[in-house]
């Protein structure tokens, strides 16, 4: 089977996350900047997978391919993909990932005509863009009762597929804005980024696996880890309010889902003193976003960068003490922008090695890879960007 994954705004990160879950079980082909193909002889539970993939917008199945762009030929192929039931209104839409025009509107009108000739009531769902957003697909239930036909340009051929699942944006928004304790002033980690970070640890949930966030804030990483099935969660923060917020948010989510299959140990503690309450060599993965530096106002890079590097170096030294042998550390190192200047925080990470996730993937096409295979997360206008770093205890 061949699946397509429509990637988010940071394709490098999206692919690193996907690979961290599936590793070498599948063959990967990066055909467009926003499209990754996966080929496997196994069936993927796409609805379960996409619920916890922070960097993937849609997943679908490739059903056919053709070298012809003739409208009648495409219509014939599309007509074979899904036969709608006559008793209900059939909604359909097209998303095209490519450069050459395929005259979507004309194709949609021809398909609509074909359906009406079969006495099928239908509606074409479209947008101003050549692709339908996950919001449009979800609101119109195209992957359930309708059809989102996805056409992907791959060199000299067109791949035809249908969407099977989309990112649950409503759930992600609920995790963020529905929780009882939020702290806008400290800088909020988006839930989908927390999902990505947990996945980058490449550790599968199991009863004996322990996950730690020593800068837990309002508990975003721990909450997403709990939702992904990790039962043993440890949190700490130098702020007592953060500890209380984390406890409140996880209790709230546990009640919402009627989930009591997790244990949270949490303490008000400086991250440089974790070993005073966490046994040495006991934690499987540390997943965390430390203090990123000032978010507002003018930033003195010559002062802020050394201060952050000193803090990060100290906590990494402490992390080494409590991680198991070969334990993993998924951590954000800030990239701070001040005017025309950019400075990356690069702490000392003695006794750890950086894992370049993207270097391990056997991609047929690597032209979309960003420089140095770094996993940079941010958007234009932000003062602080996030560099996602994966380290392994030596």
């Amino acid at each position: 089977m061949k699946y397509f994954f429509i990637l988010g705004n940071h394709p490098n990160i999206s692919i690193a996350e996907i690979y961290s879950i599936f590793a070498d079980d599948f063959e990967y082909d990066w055909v467009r900047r926003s499209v990754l193909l996966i080929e496997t002889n196994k069936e993927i539970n796409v609805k379960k997978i996409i619920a916890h993939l922070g960097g993937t917008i849609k997943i679908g199945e490739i059903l056919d391919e053709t070298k012809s762009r003739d409208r009648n030929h495409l219509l014939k192929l599309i007509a074979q993909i899904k036969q709608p039931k006559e008793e209900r209104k059939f909604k359909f839409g097209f998303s095209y990932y490519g450069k050459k025009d395929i005259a979507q509107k004309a194709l949609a009108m021809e398909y609509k005509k074909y359906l009406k000739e079969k006495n099928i009531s239908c509606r074409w769902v479209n947008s101003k863009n050549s692709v339908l957003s996950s919001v449009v697909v979800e609101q119109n239930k195209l992957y359930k009762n309708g059809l989102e036909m996805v056409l992907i340009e791959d060199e000299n051929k067109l791949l035809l597929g249908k969407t099977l699942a989309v990112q649950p944006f409503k759930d992600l928004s609920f995790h963020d804005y529905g929780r009882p304790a939020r702290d806008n002033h400290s800088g909020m980690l988006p839930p989908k980024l927390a999902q990505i970070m947990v996945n980058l640890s490449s550790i599968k949930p199991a009863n004996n696996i322990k996950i730690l966030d020593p800068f837990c804030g309002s508990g975003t990483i721990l909450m997403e880890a709990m939702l992904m099935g990790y039962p043993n969660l440890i949190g700490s923060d130098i702020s007592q309010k953060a500890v209380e917020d984390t406890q409140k948010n996880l209790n709230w989510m546990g009640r919402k889902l009627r989930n009591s299959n997790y244990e949270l140990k949490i303490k008000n503690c400086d991250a440089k003193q974790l070993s005073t309450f966490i046994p040495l060599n006991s934690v499987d993965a540390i997943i965390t976003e430390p203090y990123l530096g000032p978010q507002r106002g003018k930033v003195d890079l010559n002062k802020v960068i050394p201060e952050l590097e000193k803090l990060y170096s100290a906590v990494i030294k402490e992390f080494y003490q409590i991680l198991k042998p070969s334990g993993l550390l998924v951590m954000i190192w800030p990239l701070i922008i001040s005017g025309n200047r950019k400075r990356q925080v690069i702490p000392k990470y003695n006794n750890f090695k950086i894992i370049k996730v993207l270097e391990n993937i056997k991609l047929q096409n690597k032209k979309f890879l960003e420089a140095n295979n770094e996993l940079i997360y941010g958007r234009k206008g932000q003062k602080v960007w996030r560099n996602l770093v994966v380290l392994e205890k030596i």
Side-chain angles (χ1 to χ4, degrees):
M1 300 180 71
K2 184 178 285 189
Y3 295 88
F4 64 82
F5 285 61
I6 304 301
L7 311 174
N9 293 328
H10 304 85
N12 272 31
I13 294 176
S14 300
I15 290 180
E17 179 189 23
I18 292 167
Y19 181 77
S20 295
I21 294 174
F22 296 127
D24 292 323
D25 290 346
F26 306 140
E27 293 183 13
Y28 301 87
D29 189 8
W30 198 356
V31 294
R32 308 209 64 78
R33 189 174 185 274
S34 60
V35 183
L36 178 72
L37 302 181
I38 285 181
E39 192 161 1
T40 173
N41 55 8
K42 304 175 183 178
E43 185 175 351
I44 299 176
N45 186 339
V46 296
K47 292 180 181 178
K48 181 179 179 181
I49 288 293
I50 203 167
H52 302 302
L53 266 181
T56 297
I57 297 172
K58 304 175 188 175
I59 303 177
E61 183 182 357
I62 298 294
L63 301 172
D64 213 332
E65 66 176 59
T66 178
K67 291 186 177 182
S68 172
R69 289 174 173 268
D70 177 75
R71 196 154 58 242
N72 290 329
H73 178 68
L74 291 176
L75 181 62
K76 184 178 179 181
L77 294 176
I78 293 167
Q80 296 173 357
I81 285 178
K82 185 170 185 176
Q83 296 298 322
K85 297 179 180 179
E86 296 182 14
E87 65 267 19
R88 64 172 61 176
K89 190 155 190 171
F90 181 67
K91 295 181 182 180
F92 70 92
F94 293 99
S95 285
Y96 173 60
Y97 299 87
K99 293 182 179 180
K100 299 177 184 178
D101 182 41
I102 60 164
Q104 266 181 273
K105 183 176 181 179
L107 183 60
M109 292 301 100
E110 289 288 342
Y111 186 51
K112 193 171 185 179
K113 179 182 176 183
Y114 162 82
L115 292 173
K116 285 188 174 181
E117 288 174 352
K118 290 184 170 290
N119 297 316
I120 297 171
S121 176
C122 61
R123 181 167 77 85
W124 173 38
V125 178
N126 65 329
S127 70
K128 295 179 181 180
N129 301 317
S130 61
V131 301
L132 299 177
S133 69
S134 59
V135 176
V136 171
V137 175
E138 169 63 33
Q139 288 177 338
N140 289 279
K141 307 299 180 188
L142 295 185
Y143 61 93
K144 293 181 179 178
N145 303 322
L147 170 68
E148 185 195 19
M149 170 58 57
V150 174
L151 298 98
I152 302 165
E153 188 178 78
D154 180 15
E155 295 181 347
N156 62 342
K157 63 180 181 287
L158 274 179
L159 305 176
L160 288 79
K162 67 176 181 180
T163 298
L164 300 176
V166 298
Q167 191 175 61
F169 59 91
K170 290 181 182 178
D171 290 346
L172 289 168
S173 179
F174 179 67
H175 297 177
D176 196 0
Y177 297 101
R179 55 185 159 178
R182 298 183 83 252
D183 186 357
N184 293 326
H185 296 288
S186 297
M188 296 292 289
L189 182 75
K192 61 183 177 182
L193 180 55
Q195 290 180 337
I196 290 169
M197 293 177 68
V198 174
N199 285 327
L200 286 176
S201 75
S202 68
I203 296 176
K204 301 294 187 290
N207 289 335
N208 60 337
I209 296 298
K210 294 181 179 179
I211 302 291
L212 163 68
D213 181 0
F215 293 86
C216 61
S218 55
T220 306
I221 289 173
L222 294 175
M223 188 165 69
E224 293 304 326
M226 181 261 280
L227 291 170
M228 294 162 75
Y230 294 88
N232 298 306
L233 308 172
I234 307 170
S236 70
D237 202 287
I238 200 169
S239 163
Q240 179 61 32
K241 181 181 182 302
V243 168
E244 293 170 1
D245 285 351
T246 295
Q247 185 76 68
K248 189 182 298 183
N249 286 334
L250 266 75
N251 288 345
W252 165 78
M253 183 57 77
R255 289 195 303 272
K256 287 287 181 183
L257 300 178
R258 297 179 181 178
N259 177 14
S260 58
N261 296 323
Y262 74 94
E263 180 182 359
L264 173 65
K265 295 179 181 178
I266 191 163
K267 186 177 179 65
N268 177 208
C269 176
D270 188 326
K272 296 190 291 292
Q273 299 174 348
L274 291 171
S275 56
T276 61
F277 84 100
I278 299 175
L280 304 182
N281 305 306
S282 66
V283 172
D284 295 273
I286 298 175
I287 305 167
T288 193
E289 176 180 83
Y291 171 60
L292 300 179
Q295 306 288 311
R296 301 171 180 85
K298 190 175 181 180
V299 178
D300 183 352
L301 294 178
N302 292 328
K303 179 181 178 183
V304 170
I305 296 296
E307 288 177 350
L308 290 176
E309 289 180 342
K310 181 179 179 181
L311 168 65
Y312 284 34
S313 299
V315 298
I316 289 174
K317 186 176 180 180
E318 185 72 358
F319 295 164
Y320 181 84
Q321 301 295 320
I322 59 175
L323 273 173
K324 290 181 178 179
S326 301
L328 289 173
L329 167 60
V330 181
M331 189 177 182
I332 287 175
W333 295 354
L335 173 65
I336 301 177
I337 301 171
S338 180
N340 295 323
R341 300 176 65 199
K342 294 182 181 179
R343 288 278 299 277
Q344 170 72 64
V345 170
I346 306 177
K348 295 177 182 177
Y349 50 94
N350 298 338
N351 301 314
F352 282 91
K353 66 177 180 180
I354 291 183
I355 297 176
K356 296 282 189 179
V357 181
L358 292 173
E359 291 181 356
N360 296 326
I361 309 175
K362 297 174 183 176
L363 287 168
Q364 297 181 32
N365 189 347
K366 295 189 177 183
K367 69 179 182 180
F368 303 113
L369 285 175
E370 296 174 7
N372 301 321
N373 291 330
E374 291 184 330
L375 306 177
I376 305 295
Y377 186 97
R379 65 177 184 271
K380 190 175 181 180
Q382 280 187 326
K383 287 189 174 181
V384 180
W385 289 45
R386 295 169 164 105
N387 183 11
L388 281 67
V389 183
V390 182
L391 304 104
E392 181 181 1
K393 177 177 175 178
I394 301 173

